[in-house]
Amino acid sequence: MDDAAFMRRALELARKGWGTVSPNPMVGAVIVRDGRIIGEGYHRKRGEAHGEINALDNAVEAVEGATLYVNLEPCSHYGRTPPCALAIIKAGIKRVVTAMEDPNPRVSGMGIRMMRKAGIHVEVGLMEEEARRLNEIFIKYITTSYPFVVQKSAVTLDGKTAAVSGASGWITGEASREYVHNLRCGMAGIMVGIGTVLKDDPRLTARPKHGKGKDPHRIIVDSNGNIPLDSRVITVNSDAKTIVAATRNISEEKEKELVLRGVEVIKTEDQAGRVDLKELMMILHRKEIDGILLEGGGTLNYSMHRLGLVDKVMYFIAPKIIGGREAPTSVDGEGIDSLDRSVVLEGIVSRPVGGDLLVEGYVKKGRF
C-alpha cells in the first residue's frame, strides 16, 4: 500500500464522525510501520478524544518511528482535549502525512510547525481536495460568520415540486427519501418556511431505516409568527430544538405560547416585512449550527439564493412529467431577466438513487 491508500483509509475513518462531532471537523488517523497499519482511530463525538489520540491508543505495537496519516492538521491548542500535535511528538512518531492545514485562521499551521520543530518530518497536501470536500461544512463555519447551506429539492423531470393543485405526495422514490433521512442525521439544522409547515405539517426529523437518526434542529422562517401551536414540528418528541425565526412583529402572546412549548424564538430586523435572513444565518452560526439543510419551498429558496446564502444544491429528479404553467417549482420569486445573471454551479456530480437521479453541485457565482 502507498501513501494515497493510507490517506484514503484515514478519510474513510473520518466519515464515521458524520453527525456526531459538529461543529468540529471529522478526523481520521492511521499509524503505519513497514507498510502495515498498526493503529487507527477517528473522532467519535464532540468533546471526546480526537482521531490521532484514538489511533495512538488503539495501536497494537509501539508507534515510535512510525508514520501517521491524518486528513487534517493535528491541533496545537488546548480545547476540550489536549493538543494532538504534542501527543504525537511524545509518542515518537517520526513522519506525519496530513491532507490539509487546519482552516481555522487562529491556529492554521501551528500544529505543523510544532511537530517540525520537534524533528518530525511533516508532509502536507496529499488528497487535499477530497479532505476539503469531506469537511466543507466545518471549513465554511470556521472561516466565515455563516453556516454551510445545502438546498435540497425533489422535483419532476420538468422541474415541478407539486401538481398545479398543490398536491405533491411523494415525488421521488423510497431510496431518495432514505438518502435524505441519512443526510438529515449529519446536519445541525434543517430549515423551511412557514408555507411548508402550513401546507405539509412536516416533522422535519431524521428517520433512517436502520437505527435511530440524530435529529437536526428544526428552523422555521415565520416572519409574523403564524405557525399553529399544534404543528408537528412543535409537538414532535425530539432531542433537537425547534426554532421559529420571526421579525419583531410577532405578538408577545404568540411568542410566550411558543416558548411555553419549548420553542426557541429568534427575532431579526424587518426586511420588507420579512425575516432578515443574513442576520438569521449569523445568529444560527453563533449558536454553533454549522450546517443547514434547506428544504424550503420556492419562496424561501429564492430568497436564500438572492442573498448568496446557498453553498451547495442537491436535486433529486424523479422520472415524471406533470406539467402545469402554475405548478410550483423549487425556486420561484421574481426570477432573472438575463441568463448571464443565472446562479452557476461547479463540481457537478450525478448518480442514480433508486429510480431517481441525484444531481449536486456547488454555487460558483450569481444570485437573483
Side-chain angles (χ1 to χ4, degrees):
M1 295 178 73
D2 57 11
D3 284 346
F6 293 125
M7 186 60 76
R8 277 194 292 272
R9 177 56 181 164
L11 288 163
E12 179 182 318
L13 288 166
R15 287 188 188 96
K16 293 185 177 184
W18 172 251
T20 61
V21 301
S22 172
N24 296 321
M26 293 175 280
V27 178
V30 175
I31 302 173
V32 175
R33 182 198 300 281
D34 299 327
R36 298 176 295 110
I37 294 177
I38 62 172
E40 59 181 31
Y42 67 96
H43 189 192
R44 294 175 179 272
K45 188 176 180 181
R46 177 184 181 182
E48 295 185 359
H50 293 180
E52 302 95 318
I53 304 303
N54 284 328
L56 291 170
D57 289 344
N58 293 336
V60 296
E61 61 184 69
V63 302
E64 189 173 355
T67 297
L68 182 142
Y69 298 83
V70 61
N71 62 293
L72 185 68
E73 173 187 352
C75 63
S76 59
H77 60 288
Y78 284 88
R80 289 184 173 87
T81 59
C84 291
L86 184 59
I88 291 167
I89 293 168
K90 289 182 176 179
I93 295 289
K94 288 302 178 185
R95 178 177 177 240
V96 171
V97 180
T98 182
M100 60 178 287
E101 288 189 4
D102 190 330
N104 186 342
R106 295 178 297 177
V107 297
S108 181
M110 291 174 60
I112 292 170
R113 289 192 293 272
M114 180 185 295
M115 292 185 294
R116 283 175 173 165
K117 187 176 180 180
I120 297 175
H121 178 71
V122 181
E123 300 171 24
V124 184
L126 178 64
M127 300 183 70
E128 181 173 357
E129 182 177 349
E130 293 89 336
R132 286 186 171 277
R133 287 289 172 89
L134 175 68
N135 275 312
E136 60 193 11
I137 292 176
F138 171 73
I139 293 171
K140 172 73 180 291
Y141 172 77
I142 205 66
T143 59
T144 74
S145 299
Y146 298 96
F148 187 90
V149 176
V150 181
Q151 178 210 333
K152 188 282 296 180
S153 295
V155 301
T156 59
L157 197 59
D158 54 339
K160 309 299 184 181
T161 59
V164 67
S165 64
S168 57
W170 295 114
I171 286 181
T172 51
E174 185 177 343
S176 291
R177 297 196 293 275
E178 176 68 7
Y179 191 108
V180 171
H181 279 293
N182 282 297
L183 181 62
R184 288 179 178 182
C185 291
M187 302 298 287
I190 180 171
M191 188 166 76
V192 300
I194 183 60
T196 297
V197 173
L198 295 176
K199 177 179 174 290
D200 299 332
D201 194 20
R203 283 175 283 180
L204 301 182
T205 53
R207 305 183 300 278
K209 275 186 177 179
H210 306 291
K212 185 180 183 300
K214 172 183 169 289
D215 291 337
H217 295 308
R218 297 167 292 279
I219 305 157
I220 316 302
V221 180
D222 181 15
S223 299
N224 297 311
N226 293 325
I227 188 168
L229 297 175
D230 61 352
S231 299
R232 292 201 292 179
V233 291
I234 292 176
T235 62
V236 67
N237 181 22
S238 172
D239 293 333
K241 292 180 182 178
T242 294
I243 299 171
V244 168
T247 67
R248 304 188 191 284
N249 294 329
I250 187 173
S251 69
E252 289 185 14
E253 181 180 355
K254 187 60 173 285
E255 182 178 356
K256 287 178 182 178
E257 289 288 349
L258 289 169
V259 171
L260 281 173
R261 286 163 173 78
V263 175
E264 180 176 350
V265 178
I266 293 175
K267 292 185 287 189
T268 74
E269 293 298 328
D270 186 314
Q271 288 289 326
R274 297 186 175 183
V275 166
D276 184 330
L277 292 172
K278 281 193 171 182
E279 182 184 355
L280 173 61
M281 291 297 106
M282 289 189 284
I283 292 171
L284 294 173
H285 180 277
R286 292 197 295 270
K287 292 181 177 294
E288 297 189 337
I289 294 179
D290 58 350
I292 294 174
L293 190 62
L294 174 63
E295 294 197 14
T299 300
L300 180 58
N301 290 347
Y302 173 81
S303 297
M304 290 288 286
H305 275 291
R306 183 174 60 82
L307 295 169
L309 296 173
V310 177
D311 299 286
K312 183 178 183 179
V313 301
M314 300 180 70
Y315 272 75
F316 292 84
I317 304 172
K320 302 173 183 177
I321 298 174
I322 60 177
R325 186 178 293 107
E326 303 300 324
T329 60
S330 62
V331 181
D332 51 38
E334 298 174 6
I336 58 173
D337 55 12
S338 173
L339 288 179
D340 60 10
R341 292 181 54 211
S342 301
V343 173
V344 179
L345 304 179
E346 62 182 355
I348 300 295
V349 175
S350 63
R351 59 183 176 276
V353 180
D356 304 318
L357 179 68
L358 169 59
V359 178
E360 57 185 305
Y362 298 86
V363 176
K364 178 181 180 181
K365 71 178 182 69
R367 61 179 66 178
F368 299 119

